[in-house]
Structures are given as structure tokens and as C-alpha cells.
Amino acid sequence: MPTDLTSASKSPSTPKPPLRAIMLPVAALAGVQALVSGGLFAVPTIAPAIAADIGVEPSALVGVYMAVIFALGIVSSPVGGDLVMRLGALRVSQLCLTGCGIALALASSGTAWIFVPAALLLGCVFAPETPASSHLLMRISPPERRGLVFSLKQTGNQIGGIAGALALPALVPLVGWQGGLLLVACLCGVAALLLAPLRRTWETPAEPQTGTIFGRYGKALKLVRDDARLRAMALAGGAYSAMQISLNAFLVSFCVIELEMPLTLAGAALAVAQTGGLVGRVFWGVVGDRIGHTRLVLGLLGIAMAAAAVATVGTSWTFPTFATFCFLFGLTASGWNGLFLAEVAKLAPRGRVSEATGGVLIASFAGLVVAPPLFGLIVAWSGSYVPGFLIMAAVCLAGAVPLIASRIDTATPNTPIDL
């Protein structure tokens, strides 16, 4: 295998390496996402314990904290595409891990105001991870297995969520919530160091860029605006992201406050939902590759996640039944991302994968920004978490319509990749 795989595959006709040959970078990128995701949702996962200590309402803490993070993500995602071209995908991943660790170390100080700069830093560093990984995976993944490869990498999000949902609530009685955040921060720092050896073989080459970062931001927006298929993807991504963040950020608080579960059992319910997402990311990736009609599959997933949300919170269940619905909720609401990113990469013009990914993710981050504070306001107004989930279900249905309407050309084979 060549040591510089990216440069060795400049020609679109160069054969792709077999799937097993790229498992190391795929696993490494999944690990990066697992830690970034675990760091991102660490505070919401143990929000009841943090809120009780610093004297705020859990829904208010989660709503504001996540809104600040994702508001910065709107800017940092397309900027991440520029950084990837300038620095290389793995170097950007190292920067994301380092910044995530610093942000969690700040949050662990235990004062309420410090969560604002911690959220600001997290918002700057977590979003570029996705354009960075997409940029590398498009260079090394076989076109006919792209949905599966992207979905395997995206399982990192669920792996991080499951680990955090199980470990952090259990750590609170032992080391406090501050100790739990510090542990995740240390893991991020160690992982950033472990990526260094991989850069010798798998790093993408830095490419000189013209213009300013803000100019490239505008190009990313124009790219999405001028392509009806990418516009449909962006609208659906915003809606689906709103549902996904509502599940990940508010399920624990819903279980503790409304269902009166202990924190550890509520964390277990979230872990079950994350497990559903883990299964879903691989399953839907295989389904998308087999069927070929990727946008139709994604549109039907939007309908399914709306139904799963209503079933999960719509009535009282015994815990085994509730856990089953949590699994289905996660299977749909957290299982779409890998297939989604693979379709965006397929639709992107040659040489503009990271740019298209960053541009489409602007809408996804907009959904992530709006959903947490809106959900918190609905909880404050209604006194219940159920209306929030029902409203997000309606948003998902609205996001599914453009995808189903734009499905006509989805059966065409994947186009060659510009390397």
C-alpha cells in the first residue's frame, strides 16, 4: 500500500483499496467522533446533577448550553472545510479533540458562568470534525460501499453517546460531575496524541487556498442554494437534527423529572436509544447502498422517527416497553447521519466534498441551535416534556417531504470521485 494514499490516487480511474485496507482510518475517525460526541453531550447527560449543584433548572441549562454550542457550529462547520484544505483532515481532527478537552476542563470548574466560554469553545471545535472526516473518507472509500463506510464512521457518535450515558451517571456518586467531565477531557487529549502516527500514512495533503475564510463560507452557501438536491438535503438535515438533539439532550431529564426515574436508569434509557442509533447507522447505510434510492430512504426515515418519538413519550409504559421504544427512537432519529453524509458527498461537485458538507451542515446546525431553547421554552410553558417531542415530530415530517419529492434521480450510480 502506498504511504501517501491520497497522492497515489489522483486519477479517478485508480482502483480503490479493499474495504478491509481502510478500516484503520475509519476506526480512528469513528474514535474521534466518539470522543467529540461524548464531550458534546457530557453536560446534558448529567444535567440534573450539575443543575442541582449550581442552582439552575436542568432544561434551562441544557437549552442555553447546547444553543450556544450549535450557534458557533453554524460558522465553524463551513470554516472547517477551509481548514481541512489548508491543514489536512487528521490535523484538524487533532485540533477538534484538543479544543474539546479544554472546554470540558473549563466546565468542570463548577461555576455557572464558566459554562458559557466552555460552550463557545466547544462550538468552535466540534463541527469541523465532520467535514474533515468526509474529506478523507471520500478519498479512500470504494464508491459502491460509500454509504456503509460513512455509516461505520458515524457509529462513533453512538459509541460516544452510549459510553457517556452509561459511565457518566455512574461516576457522579464516585467522583462528582466535575470528575466525570475531567475524565472525558483527559481522554480527548490522549486521543489527539494517538492520531499523530496515522498522519504519516493517511493525512490528506494541504492545498493552497485563495480568498478568505468568509469568502469560502459564501461559496459553500451558494453551492447549496444553487442545487435543488442539496437544498432538499439541507432542509431535511435541519429538521432531523432538531429531533436528534431533542432525543439526546432531553431524554434523561424527561425520565428523571417527568417519569421519576433514578439518574442511572435514565442514563440506561439514553444508552438504549444510542444503541439503536449505533445499529441504525450501519443498517441504514447498507439499505441505502442496496436500494440506491438514498433520498427516498432518508425521507421515509423522517416519517419513521416522527412515529417513534410519539410512541416513546405519548403514554406511560413499563420500563422494558419504554426501553424498546427508546431503541426504535434511536434507530431512526440517530441512525440517519452516515447515509445522509454519503449522499451529500455523492451530490457534491468534483473537488468540493468538504465544502458541500460544510454548506449543508449549516442548516443542520441551525436546527441544533433552535431546537434546545425552543424545547426548553415549550417545557416551561406546558410543564411537560411531551409537547416538545411532539412538535419536533411534526418538524421531522416537514423535513421528509423535500427528500421524497427529490428522489427521482437517486437510482443513478455514484459518480467518480475527484481525488
Side-chain angles (χ1 to χ4, degrees):
M1 183 183 298
T3 55
D4 185 0
L5 197 148
T6 56
S7 62
S9 55
K10 290 288 183 183
S11 171
S13 62
T14 301
K16 293 292 178 186
L19 195 59
R20 64 180 180 276
I22 63 172
M23 281 298 100
L24 179 59
V26 172
L29 292 173
V32 171
Q33 187 175 51
L35 285 168
V36 171
S37 174
L40 181 65
F41 291 105
V43 169
T45 299
I46 51 176
I50 298 174
D53 199 16
I54 65 176
V56 299
E57 288 294 324
S59 61
L61 171 65
V62 173
V64 174
Y65 181 78
M66 301 307 287
V68 171
I69 290 174
F70 293 127
L72 266 293
I74 293 176
V75 177
S76 63
S77 176
V79 169
D82 183 88
L83 290 176
V84 170
M85 302 298 289
R86 294 175 186 269
L87 302 177
L90 291 177
R91 183 177 284 136
V92 170
S93 297
Q94 287 179 298
L95 292 175
C96 293
L97 286 167
T98 302
C100 185
I102 294 172
L104 291 176
L106 286 175
S108 69
S109 66
T111 55
W113 66 268
I114 203 69
F115 282 90
V116 175
L120 288 171
L121 179 56
L122 265 176
C124 290
V125 300
F126 93 94
E129 178 273 329
T130 300
S133 61
S134 292
H135 185 69
L136 176 55
L137 291 178
M138 278 297 292
R139 289 174 174 267
I140 65 176
S141 59
E144 71 278 4
R145 306 297 295 277
R146 190 178 301 148
L148 175 60
V149 169
F150 273 72
S151 295
L152 286 171
K153 177 264 170 183
Q154 285 297 117
T155 59
N157 190 70
Q158 262 53 53
I159 293 170
I162 293 167
L166 291 175
L168 286 172
L171 285 171
V172 169
L174 301 176
V175 297
W177 62 266
Q178 295 99 327
L181 295 183
L182 280 174
L183 176 61
V184 180
C186 292
L187 291 174
C188 288
V190 171
L193 295 175
L194 292 176
L195 280 182
L198 293 180
R199 291 184 51 218
R200 289 193 294 269
T201 301
W202 298 100
E203 181 63 285
T204 58
E207 302 177 15
Q209 300 297 302
T210 59
T212 65
I213 285 178
F214 292 104
R216 291 182 65 82
Y217 185 95
K219 289 181 180 179
L221 285 173
K222 185 176 185 299
L223 178 62
V224 175
R225 184 195 66 194
D226 293 345
D227 190 316
R229 301 167 303 171
L230 289 176
R231 285 201 309 272
M233 295 291 289
L235 291 172
Y240 294 2
S241 295
M243 175 60 86
Q244 185 174 357
I245 189 61
S246 298
L247 167 63
N248 292 331
F250 292 101
L251 183 65
V252 169
S253 296
F254 166 69
C255 291
V256 171
I257 295 171
E258 197 149 332
L259 302 183
E260 299 181 344
M261 290 183 188
L263 182 60
T264 52
L265 193 60
L270 179 59
V272 169
Q274 295 284 11
T275 302
L278 177 65
V279 174
R281 295 200 177 201
V282 178
F283 177 73
W284 299 122
V286 173
V287 169
D289 284 342
R290 290 287 181 88
I291 294 178
H293 295 272
T294 305
R295 272 168 277 159
L296 176 61
V297 173
L298 287 167
L300 295 176
L301 263 176
I303 297 173
M305 71 179 73
V310 173
T312 302
V313 304
T315 187
S316 297
W317 305 105
T318 62
F319 185 77
T321 304
F322 179 73
T324 301
F325 281 117
C326 284
F327 180 86
L328 296 174
F329 196 177
L331 183 75
T332 52
S334 292
W336 57 277
N337 308 70
L339 186 61
F340 180 88
L341 291 172
E343 181 69 4
V344 172
K346 171 189 158 184
L347 296 174
R350 289 181 179 273
R352 303 183 72 182
V353 173
S354 60
E355 190 176 344
T357 302
V360 168
L361 289 181
I362 293 172
S364 296
F365 287 121
L368 296 171
V369 170
V370 172
L374 176 61
F375 202 109
L377 287 173
I378 295 170
V379 172
W381 168 74
S382 65
S384 170
Y385 285 77
V386 174
F389 284 111
L390 297 182
I391 289 174
M392 295 305 160
V395 171
C396 279
L397 293 176
V401 172
L403 283 182
I404 295 174
S406 70
R407 71 190 185 279
I408 300 302
D409 65 345
T410 50
T412 58
N414 288 342
T415 56
I417 308 168
D418 180 30
L419 296 174

